[in-house]
């Protein structure tokens, strides 16, 4: 493998490479090699983020989704802290299961 020495790297380019290395958790050399390969068409560019990716959900819920989430959270607050909801139900019915609960 050949070694190259790069000189006079623009400060903005250097900062962007360092930022990419931090984001990926990669050594600077690996980031630079990837960028060179991509520029030469020898490596596929990274795909754009997947829509709906959890990292991109910040503020992405519409009103119906937000309302459904709030209703679900409110329902969860009425459950016992240390037991599933059906445990309390079995105590009230003498161990019999309610027939209106889904199987």
């Amino acid at each position: 493998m050949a070694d190259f020495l790069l000189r006079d790297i623009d400060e903005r380019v250097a900062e962007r490479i360092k930022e990419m290395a931090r984001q990926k958790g990669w050594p600077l050399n690996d980031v630079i090699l990837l960028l060179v390969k991509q520029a030469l068409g020898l490596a596929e560019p990274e795909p754009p983020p997947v829509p709906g990716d959890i990292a991109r959900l910040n503020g992405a819920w519409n009103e119906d989704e937000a309302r459904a989430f709030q209703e679900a959270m409110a329902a969860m607050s009425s459950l016992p802290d240390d037991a599933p909801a059906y445990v309390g139900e079995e105590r009230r019915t003498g161990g019999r299961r309610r027939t209106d609960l889904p199987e």
Side-chain angles (χ1 to χ4, degrees):
M1 294 215 170
D3 290 331
F4 289 93
L5 173 65
L6 295 176
R7 293 192 179 123
D8 301 321
I9 298 172
D10 182 82
E11 188 63 31
R12 291 184 319 160
V13 173
E15 287 304 315
R16 182 64 180 115
I17 291 170
K18 290 176 188 176
E19 181 183 332
M20 289 179 70
R22 279 190 299 273
Q23 288 174 347
K24 293 180 176 297
W26 291 7
L28 288 171
N29 191 69
D30 291 352
V31 171
I32 293 168
L33 287 174
L34 175 65
L35 293 172
V36 169
K37 287 177 184 178
Q38 287 176 343
L40 295 173
L42 300 174
E44 293 294 320
E46 291 187 31
V50 176
D53 181 11
I54 194 164
R56 302 182 59 83
L57 283 182
N58 187 15
W61 287 357
N62 65 31
E63 289 181 37
D64 293 335
E65 292 168 327
R67 187 174 26 262
F69 178 76
Q70 290 298 328
E71 290 171 2
M73 292 305 295
M76 296 294 283
S77 68
S78 66
L79 296 175
D81 290 340
D82 61 344
Y86 64 85
V87 172
E89 185 64 29
E90 288 178 356
R91 286 187 203 140
R92 288 192 299 273
T93 62
R96 297 183 317 273
R97 291 189 62 145
R98 285 178 41 182
T99 57
D100 61 342
L101 292 177
E103 291 295 322

